[in-house]
Amino acid sequence: MSRRTALFALLYASEGAPIGFIWWALPTLLRAGGVPIDRITALTAVLVLPWVLKFLWAPLVDVLRGRRWGYRAWIIAMQTTMAATLVPLIWIDPAGHLDAWQALLLVHAVAAATQDVAIDALAIGVVPTAERGVVNGAMQAGMLTGRSLFGGGAVAAAAWLGRPWLIVALVTWIVVAMGALALLRHVAPAPPLAEEGRRWRRAMGATFRRRSTWFGLAFALTSGAAFEATGQLAGPYLVDRGVPQATIGAFLGLFVVGAMLAGGIAGGIASDRWGRRRSVALSLTGFVAMILLVAWTDDAASASDATRMALLTGMYVFIGVFTAASYALFMDLTDPDIGATQFTTFMAATNGCESWAGWSGGRIVATHGYPAALAAMSAVSLLSLPLLARLGRTSAGDGPSRRSSRDDRRGDGADQATP
């Protein structure tokens, strides 16, 4: 693994850590501390909003840059804010001061979401196209590691060490990631702010005229429908099929994370060697096949718990491949001059897919059962393949890849670096 790949894996681990803490560990720890469940769910509903809405302020990360302030400065500033907002929580009791926790964690969440935007933009600016698959695979591995350690792992650690030491560990994790940015060498300065604004406006106009942008957004909104719905339904499905809760916990915490880690690394390598579209298409077909097998075996009397979880594990391997390959594809489609804005918009579309597919899958389950829901969402994913084919034909002629030689000459104006 190159130093650049290791750096972005660590930076993505710093992205996954706060998400794992806020989405997975925090509700459990607050409930154990005596906080009412309705207040916990109200808190988490507010704290996830920055990740949903970050595309709204992503343009600021692109535009507000200058010779002394680039993407790396954005990341360091956001990580400093993340750590600073966590430190008071070491001493504040959440049961008696939940409002203070909410205020500090909301600022933390906004900074964490903005950090995500800047890290993605930096990766688009400094990672060569031929390495984006591998780097995306490593970044997904880092993200899953951060989520796992400060999600499920945090719950176990807090029971042993106590909540304050968990906060200390999370702050330390963020500081380590901040220090890793020192590995970036030969950072070219961004252009003056006025010039950056003009360039951003020109790039935005060109992007909206580019057919590949619209095909990419349509693909992001539809391609993951099958696994987004199945992922949200997997836990309830296994419960309804009588799988013990402890077994489900081990499956989600170990097998799912391990499968996605392996798939992400394999998908990154495959997309660099054999092409983005081919890797995306094969992995999409793979996870659809696994999901349809789950639906087909659901009514079989001989279907065991092990069979169901084995098929779902196979699905998660293909999800890992698909995620690494498709994210690299979206990076290829992104103009480096508006890296934060455009790539975050692609990611917002994938979040939109997660939202509508999960809601639709749940509605179909309520009326027609799990097999019908899995089959319907699989059909949507398969119907996105023509979009992928069109995406390939348009991006060759009107995509941003033509910018590479110019960017290599002038340093891309966005923290161009060679770690």
Side-chain angles (χ1 to χ4, degrees), residues 45-115:
V46 170
L47 295 181
V48 300
L49 286 178
W51 279 278
V52 177
L53 301 175
K54 63 182 180 180
F55 72 94
L56 295 175
W57 62 84
L60 296 177
V61 179
D62 276 326
V63 175
L64 297 182
R65 293 184 294 130
R67 297 193 181 279
R68 297 181 181 275
W69 185 274
Y71 291 135
R72 183 168 66 170
W74 270 104
I75 297 169
I76 292 174
M78 293 304 103
Q79 289 177 335
T80 301
T81 304
M82 290 163 63
T85 53
L86 288 174
V87 169
L89 302 183
I90 297 172
W91 299 282
I92 299 176
D93 177 22
H97 302 87
L98 191 60
D99 290 341
W101 270 64
Q102 176 169 311
L104 288 166
L105 286 175
L106 183 58
V107 177
H108 174 87
V110 171
T114 308
Q115 171 206 229

Side-chain angles (χ1 to χ4, degrees), residues 380-395:
V380 174
S381 287
L382 290 175
L383 288 172
S384 73
L385 287 173
L387 292 171
L388 181 64
R390 292 292 301 273
L391 187 60
R393 288 197 292 271
T394 58
S395 62

Side-chain angles (χ1 to χ4, degrees), residues 207-232:
T207 296
F208 279 118
R209 294 190 297 270
R210 196 173 292 139
R211 289 174 296 169
S212 58
T213 299
W214 301 106
F215 283 121
L217 288 172
F219 185 74
L221 276 168
T222 55
S223 58
F227 78 76
E228 297 288 12
T230 306
Q232 294 179 55

Side-chain angles (χ1 to χ4, degrees), residues 7-31:
L7 168 65
F8 280 103
L10 181 58
L11 289 175
Y12 253 60
S14 73
E15 290 190 26
I19 294 174
F21 175 70
I22 290 174
W23 292 2
W24 296 354
L26 183 63
T28 304
L29 297 176
L30 292 178
R31 187 60 180 152

Side-chain angles (χ1 to χ4, degrees), residues 8 126 331:
F8 280 103
V126 305
M331 283 188 174

